Amino acid sequence: MKRYILTGAPGAGKTTILGRLRADGFDVVDEAATAVIAREQAAGDAEPWTRQAFVEKVVDLQRRRQLRSATRDVTHQIYDRSPVCTHALTTYLGRPAPAALLAEIDRITRDRIYEPQVFFVRNIGFCEPTDARRISFQESLVFERIHEESYRGFGYDLVEVPAGDVADRVALIADTVARLDGRV
């Protein structure tokens, strides 16, 4: 099975793109951080990302989702973020990467869990805050740069998904996956 990562700045349109890819029949594995934030906020923690245990919870859920999805009978999957994104988050937050995160990055690297080509969704010129995304557009640009540096630093090749019409962005990803899978 080929596993492709889709990443980029907060508010860049990843969720919309992934929704369209899912509707078009792609097997999509959802982002862990958003799920952890929603669960923690429902339990009364308004800003769970400020807690030291947040990154470990994200890493644990990412790993469980990746292992669970490995049993699906599909030829390829699209992942909404990866542990490399979590590493970028620790850098952005100015925290050291916890041992669990470093071990997970070692596992995904050693076992070549993800394809080396990563779809990097570029910002769309603004960032809408949400309950889970409390970041300004300027902050999202810093986060975008850190994501890019993290992926390149871990040896991934970025496939640029420029700002533009959602249909064009989805087509670029679908066409690239088909080409990389040898179907075109």
Side-chain angles (χ1 to χ4, degrees):
M1 173 188 319
K2 292 187 175 186
R3 297 176 187 95
Y4 296 97
I5 300 165
L6 188 134
T7 192
K14 293 179 306 298
T15 302
T16 301
I17 291 168
L18 288 160
R20 292 269 184 96
L21 288 167
R22 182 177 275 133
D24 289 348
F26 282 85
D27 189 53
V28 174
V29 179
D30 294 323
E31 178 184 8
T34 301
V36 170
I37 291 169
R39 183 180 67 220
E40 298 294 314
Q41 285 179 335
D45 187 351
E47 296 182 345
W49 54 87
T50 64
R51 311 288 174 252
Q52 192 63 38
F54 175 72
V55 169
E56 287 89 346
K57 290 176 182 181
V58 172
V59 171
D60 178 62
L61 184 54
Q62 283 172 325
R63 181 180 173 87
R64 285 187 290 123
R65 284 183 174 178
Q66 188 274 309
L67 292 171
R68 198 170 42 238
S69 69
T71 63
R72 297 180 190 162
D73 186 25
V74 295
T75 58
H76 58 272
Q77 294 175 321
I78 307 288
Y79 281 74
D80 185 355
R81 299 203 180 274
S82 80
V84 176
C85 294
T86 308
H87 186 275
L89 175 63
T90 63
T91 301
Y92 177 77
L93 295 173
R95 297 180 189 162
L101 174 57
L102 296 175
E104 183 62 1
I105 289 175
D106 182 58
R107 181 187 77 87
I108 68 170
T109 302
R110 180 188 64 246
D111 296 346
R112 295 186 175 115
I113 298 297
Y114 302 103
E115 293 300 306
Q117 300 84 12
V118 171
F119 294 102
F120 200 89
V121 179
R122 291 297 178 179
N123 75 78
I124 54 176
F126 62 92
C127 181
E128 297 267 340
T130 68
D131 286 341
R133 180 179 51 223
R134 297 183 189 165
I135 188 170
S136 72
F137 177 62
Q138 291 304 319
E139 292 167 328
S140 78
L141 295 177
V142 172
F143 206 9
E144 180 180 59
R145 181 185 48 76
I146 293 169
H147 268 80
E148 183 174 358
E149 291 169 358
S150 293
Y151 275 95
R152 290 189 194 283
F154 285 108
Y156 289 91
D157 299 318
L158 302 183
V159 176
E160 296 284 331
V161 181
D165 181 71
V166 174
D168 292 339
R169 295 172 113 188
V170 170
L172 182 147
I173 294 164
D175 292 347
T176 303
V177 167
R179 183 177 49 78
L180 293 171
D181 283 354
R183 293 180 280 138
V184 175

